[in-house]
Amino acid sequence: MSEYISPVPVPAPDVKPAEIYREIYGMPMFVTVPARDLAASRDFWIRGLGFVDLFSVPDRVTHLRRWAFQDVLLVPGEPAGAATAVSVSFACVLGQIDEIAARCEELAPGCTEGPVDRPWNSVELEVVTPENARVVMTAARPLDPDGPQAAWMREAGFEVPRP
């Protein structure tokens, strides 16, 4: 079996985000989001959440991407009336959380919640997009093997390596 290398960088205080991957591949997973106004939705996802327009077919589909395997298809349709409990999460790095929150709030005031520190050693920002999609931007924190998150993880049955 070959080893898969994730595009998500190892957590560190000054880690750089992965490059946006612009090649075409068989997508193992993607999200389809119905949008009333494709242009406005495209703008929010690009300027707010940091996606790029990989390609668009006018009035049919906009294929957005951040890192490899972070694909979203915006399609014409009626969005949900309100954000649902279901969410989709996209990895980012710690240095991106505050800037994503600020950009999204500038574009759609009140659309973010957080960031929140999670016991599973991540920081998460929830964003409700103009289509009422609930998007969670999640960034792993560096893990202190002697800290409270490591203790929680050990108690939950995870092996936490020590340097």
Side-chain angles (χ1 to χ4, degrees), residues 38-141:
L38 284 177
S41 293
R42 175 188 175 277
D43 184 60
F44 183 88
W45 284 78
I46 290 171
R47 291 194 313 140
L49 296 170
F51 283 74
V52 297
D53 184 341
L54 192 61
F55 69 85
S56 288
V57 177
D59 301 320
R60 300 285 307 267
V61 66
T62 294
H63 184 158
L64 302 169
R65 183 178 293 154
R66 288 184 78 250
W67 301 349
F69 311 118
Q70 293 187 341
D71 294 277
V72 173
L73 302 180
L74 296 176
V75 297
E78 282 303 311
T84 67
V86 175
S87 65
V88 60
S89 297
F90 295 102
C92 62
V93 298
L94 285 172
Q96 293 179 303
I97 290 282
D98 289 338
E99 71 183 49
I100 291 170
R103 289 191 318 249
C104 288
E105 281 294 326
E106 181 180 313
L107 294 167
C111 72
T112 66
E113 187 175 312
V116 176
D117 289 340
R118 298 293 186 194
W120 44 87
N121 209 44
S122 70
V123 175
E124 295 182 353
L125 172 71
E126 183 177 295
V127 180
V128 176
T129 71
E131 316 77 31
N132 284 321
R134 189 177 304 275
V135 173
V136 177
M137 302 304 294
T138 181
R141 292 183 299 219

